[in-house]
Amino acid sequence: QPVEATDNAFWDQFWADTATSVQDVFALVPAAEIRAVREESPSNLATLCYKAVEKLVQGAESGCHTEKERQIVLNCCRLLTRILPYIFEDPDWRGFFWSTVPGAGRGGGDEDDENARPLAESLLLAVTDLLFCPDFTVQSHRRSTVDTAEDMHSIDSCEYIWEAGVGFAHSPQPNYIHDLNRTELLKLLLTCFSEAMYLPPSSDSSNTNPWVQFFCSTENRHALPLFTSLLNVVCAYDPVGYGIPYNHLLFSDYREPLVEEAAQVLIVTLDYDSSTSSSPTVDGTTTGTAMDDVDPPGPDNLFVNYLSRIHREEDFQFILKGVARLLSNPLVQTYLPNSAKKIQFHQELLVLFWKLCDFNKKFLFFVLKSSDVLDILVPILYFLNDARADQSRVGLMHIGVFILLLLSGERNFGVRLNKPYSVRVPMDIPVFTGTHADLLIIVFHKIITSGHQRLQPLFDCLLTIVVNVSPYLKSLSMVAANKLLHLLEAFSTTWFLFSAVQNHHLVFFLLEVFNNIIQYQFDGNSNLVYAVIRKRNVFHQLANLPTDSQSIQKGLQRKKKTPEPISRTNSQDGVSMEGSRPAAPAEPGTLKTSLVATPGIDKLTEKSQVSEDGTMRSLEPEASQLSPEGNPPVALSDGESWSGEASHSRRDRRRLSSASSSGQWTPTPDWVMSWKSKLPLQTIMRLLQVLVPQVEKICIDKGLTDESEILKFLQHGTLVGLLPVPHPILIRKYQANSGTAMWFRTYMWGVIYLRNVDPPIWYDTDVKLFEIQRV
């Protein structure tokens, strides 16, 4: 039966207990009971929430000077973390926190205007105040405590930022009690924001999360110091512990849970669809004018706004070093096992890095300005290679590839890849001597040939990245050159080309890579030229691809005999690197969360042409139809529009080669002709025409079977004046779109859901944003 709100003795028992932990609260308050109260005595649940928020507000007002007050605040915090998901899962309750509670338990007539606030706002403001509460979550600056109790309202929280870094030079004394208290409050914040998990995915970006919107608005007077504290705590974290290996085995680390929670809160507050907004342009100002009062102040979300305005070199350096250090942490594990604490929040870090690059173009340019970008690249390639066989890590594969796609749109990225690769991170790939470009190509080859089926939608992206960097690659190793030709061989078999409507795009991408290297980097690339000459029959077969119905049918028959999309055995694979473990599939029963489909490559990117002086101009879609050298609009423009199969292609993209068996789509001679005639083979055919006779002559004259002599000849050869006029370099740059924004939202919340297991905040509640599946 309903209990009166004024019955304090009854309500106080919920938070008065002294020693509980958040785990205890989860054990003492089972899900079934919360649901029962919600259905059978809703007024009691409402009063409980209201009372708990009231206690937090009181704690924030008073400044929590006594141990008892702190205990009450923490217990209310834990209780709300436990209950909120059950409020969100019921549509009838969803508006509850956004209503004002009429006169309940206000006692006396002190109606001040605070009372008009919705419960959610009171809760968020109380939590932010508590995050800068002296002696509770931050060090007090005063000597004596009780007499001159710092008035909570007069506190300038910018003096209490949690960690040195962006905009703050002083690193406070570490205090593990403060860290634990901050962690509990951030957990509650994250739970407030998690209402997003209970709404199905929709491409409508207008449905912003009201909790995040209020929290990141000017109503939150601590927005700036909080943003800075979260960012600095994450970027300053060093899991190794003062540079002493094995240190973490001696001390338990109170920082790590705080850093994880901070990273999760940070990425959720930055969940913002930049494609629909007037996002700041490259120089940090919004469209054209200087940052003055007349200007639209950028996004209303202050966290996004602050992130996009960071501009000091030393701040960028601090952020980049921190993210790179944390991303490399799992790789350090492989040299000295257990020497450093292994962090688990690399997915949150990748989302954070993505947001930084997407919202702050100056940061992106800073990352690419020096070879520091390689400290981000190598860990990403490590994760991609490691997760390629694991169905539960498809999301990790996607975000890694998205980040590389974003970076590859900038010329500097391609240039940086020429740096020799000397760190030997044990990876399950062939041993090679070469550059970071070789590493990238070898890992991509591994993903395409030995990843699981669900990665096929990423093939377009992977090859787009290689196309984007190809004009800048000074010299590929023999291993990498052979990998590229192996991919061309696999993708140009007739059954593969004829079995799905967009498979031939992959061949166009690879031909574009070869053309770029031959036209712009012929001199250093004798290995690639040699590989092209050795595999010349692949190019001749493409040029002579049959287009009559009978041959098409015959090509498709062949597929039934060889179901594997790509030959797994590859003679030149050689030995894997020492100390590496093969990429393993997920353990059966591993939980994973579903993801929405990602937009096709044509929606993800827009084309830019690089002019003589290295500047890029965006190409209008129509212009690309007229590109020189018969360069296909196929690979450039929306591949679906001209195949007339727009409606099916999305589906086909998911199951690479089953399109024909489903009876949806069958290849026709006209269709094959429509793209075969546009294959950009001229440059390669000319190269073969000139070099093959010369190479054959050397072999006959000198009786050679040794490739080093041929390579030496190719190194000194030149094709100046013999090749067609070089085509302009085309770069496909990532462009923000609501499809990717939605993908990031589902991915990010899926990661947060799965990573919060102790306590299991959302487990077994009716989440709508994604499905929870078992591998």
Side-chain angles (χ1 to χ4, degrees):
Q1 70 281 7
V3 179
E4 279 303 310
T6 45
D7 180 357
N8 284 332
F10 174 79
W11 298 110
D12 284 349
Q13 62 186 358
F14 285 99
W15 31 81
D17 279 347
T18 40
T20 50
S21 66
V22 66
Q23 286 76 8
D24 294 340
V25 171
F26 272 66
L28 291 168
V29 185
E33 267 182 44
I34 304 174
R35 289 195 175 111
V37 174
R38 188 183 68 196
E39 306 308 325
E40 287 147 32
S41 44
S43 67
N44 283 358
L45 184 58
T47 308
L48 182 63
C49 291
Y50 170 71
K51 285 286 193 184
V53 172
E54 190 179 51
K55 286 290 175 199
L56 290 180
V57 172
Q58 284 167 6
E61 297 272 314
S62 71
C64 289
H65 292 298
T66 64
E67 193 44 50
K68 183 171 183 233
E69 283 179 280
R70 288 172 202 159
Q71 204 50 58
I72 288 177
V73 162
L74 289 174
N75 283 340
C76 290
C77 191
R78 294 159 186 160
L79 191 65
L80 285 167
T81 302
R82 179 59 169 146
I83 291 172
L84 275 166
Y86 297 92
I87 300 250
F88 294 152
E89 74 174 357
D90 184 338
D92 298 336
W93 275 82
R94 213 163 279 145
F96 169 70
F97 270 86
W98 294 96
S99 57
T100 46
V101 180
R106 277 222 181 94
D110 55 345
E111 296 290 310
D112 54 24
D113 45 16
E114 269 303 295
N115 290 334
R117 276 202 183 284
L119 203 51
E121 295 187 4
S122 306
L123 171 56
L124 290 172
L125 292 176
V127 172
T128 53
D129 278 340
L130 287 164
L131 285 168
F132 292 101
C133 182
D135 291 326
F136 179 53
T137 50
V138 291
Q139 292 282 315
S140 172
H141 291 184
R142 309 257 175 107
R143 287 291 154 265
S144 59
T145 38
V146 186
D147 341 325
T148 56
E150 292 186 54
D151 181 11
M152 286 296 286
H153 290 289
S154 65
I155 279 182
D156 175 7
S157 43
C158 287
E159 294 172 11
Y160 290 94
I161 288 171
W162 300 348
E163 185 56 79
V166 177
F168 195 65
H170 162 70
S171 186
Q173 199 55 46
N175 178 324
Y176 81 93
I177 303 274
H178 293 174
D179 278 359
L180 292 174
N181 294 341
R182 292 164 178 174
T183 305
E184 298 230 35
L185 287 161
L186 291 178
K187 218 182 260 310
L188 172 57
L189 268 184
L190 197 59
T191 310
C192 292
F193 298 158
S194 71
E195 186 178 353
M197 284 196 209
Y198 297 89
L199 301 169
S202 78
S203 51
D204 175 22
S205 51
S206 60
N207 55 7
T208 41
N209 182 332
W211 295 85
V212 172
Q213 197 176 359
F214 179 80
F215 180 78
C216 297
S217 72
T218 46
E219 294 272 348
N220 176 359
R221 72 188 178 103
H222 303 296
L224 181 59
L226 243 176
F227 169 76
T228 318
S229 294
L230 296 172
L231 184 63
N232 291 353
V233 157
V234 172
C235 295
Y237 178 55
D238 181 1
V240 181
Y242 315 113
I244 309 164
Y246 302 101
N247 202 15
H248 72 104
L249 299 175
L250 308 177
F251 304 99
S252 68
D253 179 355
Y254 294 101
R255 237 325 117 104
E256 192 188 23
L258 173 65
V259 175
E260 290 206 357
E261 217 63 55
Q264 293 179 0
V265 168
L266 200 51
I267 59 178
V268 170
T269 54
L270 296 169
D271 176 21
Y272 181 77
D273 184 354
S274 56
S275 63
T276 56
S277 60
S278 67
S279 61
T281 51
V282 173
D283 55 353
T285 59
T286 18
T287 46
T289 54
M291 270 282 183
D292 51 28
D293 302 334
V294 206
D295 213 40
D300 296 336
N301 177 326
L302 289 180
F303 278 42
V304 174
N305 202 332
Y306 298 144
L307 187 77
S308 67
R309 288 166 120 167
I310 297 173
H311 61 274
R312 289 179 14 202
E313 294 264 313
E314 55 269 43
D315 289 343
F316 287 157
Q317 191 59 37
F318 164 74
I319 295 172
L320 180 58
K321 279 273 176 285
V323 173
R325 179 179 59 244
L326 291 169
L327 285 177
S328 314
N329 163 277
L331 287 58
V332 179
Q333 301 300 317
T334 45
Y335 314 121
L336 290 170
N338 303 325
S339 63
K341 178 163 184 157
K342 187 165 184 182
I343 62 158
Q344 302 295 334
F345 56 98
H346 47 273
Q347 301 195 83
E348 292 92 320
L349 285 165
L350 289 171
V351 175
L352 178 60
F353 183 75
W354 168 270
K355 300 279 180 196
L356 280 156
C357 292
D358 196 20
F359 295 152
N360 190 324
K361 286 296 171 263
K362 281 186 177 163
F363 176 74
L364 176 62
F365 298 146
F366 177 85
V367 170
L368 294 164
K369 203 169 69 175
S370 73
S371 49
D372 288 350
V373 63
L374 303 175
D375 299 337
I376 299 283
L377 170 76
V378 172
I380 289 179
L381 291 175
Y382 173 85
F383 293 132
L384 290 178
N385 189 57
D386 189 52
R388 67 176 192 267
D390 183 341
Q391 296 255 353
S392 69
R393 291 196 282 170
V394 179
L396 171 63
M397 297 293 295
H398 277 75
I399 187 167
V401 172
F402 283 159
I403 289 174
L404 298 183
L405 179 65
L406 181 70
L407 295 174
S408 75
E410 307 297 331
R411 171 181 178 273
N412 265 354
F413 182 64
V415 175
R416 299 282 161 242
L417 290 178
N418 290 309
K419 187 176 175 182
Y421 176 66
S422 50
V423 252
R424 286 280 170 258
V425 177
M427 284 163 89
D428 162 32
I429 52 171
V431 180
F432 70 98
T433 306
T435 65
H436 284 76
D438 295 308
L439 176 69
L440 178 129
I441 288 168
I442 291 166
V443 168
F444 283 10
H445 173 269
K446 203 74 169 166
I447 294 168
I448 291 172
T449 56
S450 65
H452 55 80
Q453 297 292 86
R454 301 246 335 258
L455 299 179
Q456 284 169 345
L458 280 177
F459 290 2
D460 279 353
C461 266
L462 291 168
L463 293 186
T464 299
I465 294 165
V466 180
V467 174
N468 281 349
V469 301
S470 59
Y472 310 110
L473 303 183
K474 295 208 178 333
S475 102
L476 286 181
S477 69
M478 193 56 99
V479 179
N482 284 332
K483 297 299 180 204
L484 285 175
L485 279 141
H486 177 237
L487 288 179
L488 183 70
E489 224 175 340
F491 289 149
S492 57
T493 58
T494 46
W495 77 257
F496 183 78
L497 285 173
F498 296 157
S499 63
V501 72
Q502 75 297 327
N503 283 357
H504 59 273
H505 295 188
L506 300 173
V507 168
F508 277 90
F509 284 138
L510 285 164
L511 291 176
E512 204 176 330
V513 171
F514 297 134
N515 287 339
N516 281 341
I517 294 179
I518 292 167
Q519 289 280 19
Y520 291 99
Q521 299 288 352
F522 179 81
D523 287 351
N525 273 298
S526 49
N527 288 330
L528 183 76
V529 174
Y530 178 64
V532 167
I533 291 174
R534 271 192 45 218
K535 293 283 187 188
R536 55 190 179 276
N537 61 324
V538 180
F539 300 97
H540 291 302
Q541 279 167 3
L542 268 174
N544 300 317
L545 189 73
T547 54
D548 57 288
S549 302
Q550 204 176 352
S551 309
I552 293 175
Q553 283 316 308
K554 211 156 115 191
L556 288 170
Q557 290 312 308
R558 211 170 296 165
K559 157 183 134 197
K560 299 210 169 65
K561 301 192 195 85
T562 54
E564 282 296 325
I566 286 170
S567 60
R568 302 273 160 151
T569 47
N570 190 6
S571 51
Q572 338 103 12
D573 230 21
V575 233
S576 271
M577 291 172 66
E578 205 179 330
S580 65
R581 292 191 313 272
E587 294 284 314
T590 307
L591 287 179
K592 66 185 179 77
T593 54
S594 62
L595 292 162
V596 291
T598 49
I601 194 72
D602 43 278
K603 305 274 188 302
L604 267 180
T605 54
E606 61 176 2
K607 281 160 299 302
S608 298
Q609 195 167 313
V610 181
S611 49
E612 304 282 309
D613 60 355
T615 53
M616 292 196 194
R617 60 186 184 81
S618 182
L619 282 186
E620 294 310 311
E622 306 82 54
S624 63
Q625 308 289 342
L626 312 167
S627 48
E629 217 205 304
N631 234 9
V634 184
L636 310 180
S637 67
D638 179 343
E640 283 122 42
S641 56
W642 52 266
S643 66
E645 293 296 331
S647 53
H648 305 315
S649 63
R650 269 292 169 279
R651 250 193 324 275
D652 298 340
R653 201 182 284 274
R654 287 210 196 98
R655 18 160 235 270
L656 201 62
S657 49
S658 58
S660 50
S661 58
S662 66
Q664 289 280 359
W665 169 85
T666 43
T668 63
D670 288 349
W671 172 77
V672 178
M673 277 305 294
S674 72
W675 54 262
K676 179 190 168 182
S677 60
K678 300 189 182 106
L679 284 166
L681 287 164
Q682 299 84 327
T683 302
I684 295 169
M685 288 310 189
R686 186 81 187 110
L687 171 129
L688 293 173
Q689 198 182 345
V690 175
L691 293 177
V692 170
Q694 299 183 2
V695 170
E696 281 175 342
K697 187 170 185 306
I698 296 176
C699 293
I700 294 163
D701 291 358
K702 303 197 175 174
L704 280 185
T705 48
D706 177 24
E707 49 184 58
S708 61
E709 283 291 323
I710 301 169
L711 282 168
K712 205 172 292 172
F713 161 74
L714 292 173
Q715 261 156 19
H716 300 297
T718 171
L719 292 176
V720 173
L722 295 170
L723 291 177
V725 183
H727 53 284
I729 297 174
L730 277 175
I731 302 288
R732 294 172 185 76
K733 289 173 76 105
Y734 168 80
Q735 55 172 353
N737 59 78
S738 48
T740 344
M742 193 62 229
W743 184 89
F744 270 96
R745 182 174 306 158
T746 52
Y747 169 60
M748 168 182 80
W749 279 114
V751 169
I752 291 172
Y753 177 97
L754 292 174
R755 298 256 300 103
N756 282 276
V757 286
D758 183 27
I761 302 181
W762 300 282
Y763 189 67
D764 267 352
T765 58
D766 188 12
V767 172
K768 295 277 196 306
L769 184 62
F770 45 76
E771 291 169 29
I772 292 96
Q773 302 157 337
R774 283 190 189 277
V775 173

